[in-house]
Amino acid sequence: MSSRHTTAIAGSLVAASFSAVMILSFPAGADDQGSGSSLGGKVVDKAPAGVKVTTLLPKKISVDNSSKNTAITATVKNEGTKDSGTLRLLVVGFGGLTVTNVQGCSEIPKKDLPPGSNSGFNCAVGHLAAGKSTSYAVDATYDLSKEGKICLPVRTGDGKKTYWQQGPVPFGTTNPSPNAPATPLLLGTDNKPVAPGGDQLPRTGVGSDVLPLGAAGAALIAVGAAGLRWSRRRPLEQQG
């Protein structure tokens, strides 16, 4: 993926987030919707009649206390009655949660990440037939001394519209267990930092129903406008 393409994705995503909800992405895998939750998800741009795109995240993940590694399954689903058209998924990490790899997806360069995020991947999902879904294996690390969130926006192939966005939604625990081999984290739970005095640490973002980028103001509008210009001048190639 070129820098211009990733700039278009990040920029227009930020513009959409400032106006209502933020939009943020992993390659198509097997047709497996898995088990999960759409907690923190919302419609951004209206999809065509018969198309209903959603995403799912696991209700529970586990962080290895030694390596800080964790694994997340992200699922994109078309619950409608018609083909979705070409889709893209963005997978973006915030705070203590850093996305290190999404199978088959392209990493978004640091300079093109939306403000407030620390990592991100852009994935070409392609078409989803009615009732079909695609799941992706997401590798991540989680610094349990911080709060961490993830965001899954689902966009059209050309990046001009975002049909759905889940998050930024937190994974966390209110009962840290630093001496255990692993710490279980629950979706929709703000993390209580393990480190001494962790309760005094600054929060990494706001509630899951509000974008953490809202306070950026004019800067976001400028970045979003630039992204939209890139999108109009050189649309993202369609990937099936």
Side-chain angles (χ1 to χ4, degrees):
M1 172 179 296
S2 70
S3 176
R4 289 186 176 183
H5 288 175
T6 51
T7 299
I9 293 169
S12 54
L13 168 139
V14 170
S17 69
F18 184 78
S19 61
V21 258
M22 182 183 123
I23 305 135
L24 287 173
S25 197
F26 130 26
D31 180 20
D32 175 18
Q33 70 183 51
S35 61
S37 171
S38 60
L39 178 70
K42 51 262 181 182
V43 173
V44 181
D45 296 314
K46 185 177 180 180
V51 176
K52 183 180 180 182
V53 177
T54 60
T55 56
L56 299 173
L57 285 167
K59 297 177 183 178
K60 180 179 179 180
I61 62 174
S62 181
V63 177
D64 184 294
N65 286 337
S66 296
S67 66
K68 298 184 179 179
N69 291 334
T70 187
I72 302 170
T73 299
T75 300
V76 185
K77 183 177 182 182
N78 179 9
E79 297 180 335
T81 58
K82 295 183 179 180
D83 185 276
S84 67
T86 305
L87 300 176
R88 288 183 177 272
L89 171 68
L90 300 179
V91 180
V92 180
F94 294 83
L97 194 158
T98 301
V99 180
T100 57
N101 187 57
V102 181
Q103 181 184 4
C105 299
S106 301
E107 184 173 8
I108 300 173
K110 294 290 185 183
K111 63 183 180 66
D112 295 325
L113 289 171
S117 64
N118 58 40
S119 55
F121 283 76
N122 172 33
C123 310
V125 176
H127 290 251
L128 282 180
K132 296 297 182 178
S133 62
T134 298
S135 293
Y136 302 92
V138 179
D139 294 325
T141 60
Y142 200 118
D143 183 347
L144 293 172
S145 68
K146 303 176 182 178
E147 293 182 346
K149 296 182 180 182
I150 191 169
C151 189
L152 302 179
V154 182
R155 315 194 69 206
T156 53
D158 59 11
K160 293 181 178 180
K161 290 186 177 182
T162 299
Y163 291 154
W164 173 266
Q165 176 190 301
Q166 185 172 8
V169 62
F171 275 105
T173 178
T174 57
N175 184 28
S177 50
N179 297 321
T183 297
L185 302 182
L186 299 177
L187 182 66
T189 301
D190 287 324
N191 189 50
K192 180 179 180 181
V194 170
D199 289 342
Q200 313 321 311
L201 290 175
R203 295 177 62 86
T204 59
V206 293
S208 61
D209 58 337
V210 182
L211 292 178
L213 310 184
L220 285 186
I221 296 178
V223 174
L228 289 173
R229 285 196 297 274
W230 277 120
S231 181
R232 293 194 184 100
R233 289 170 57 187
R234 189 173 181 179
L236 295 171
E237 63 251 40
Q238 300 286 326
Q239 296 190 31

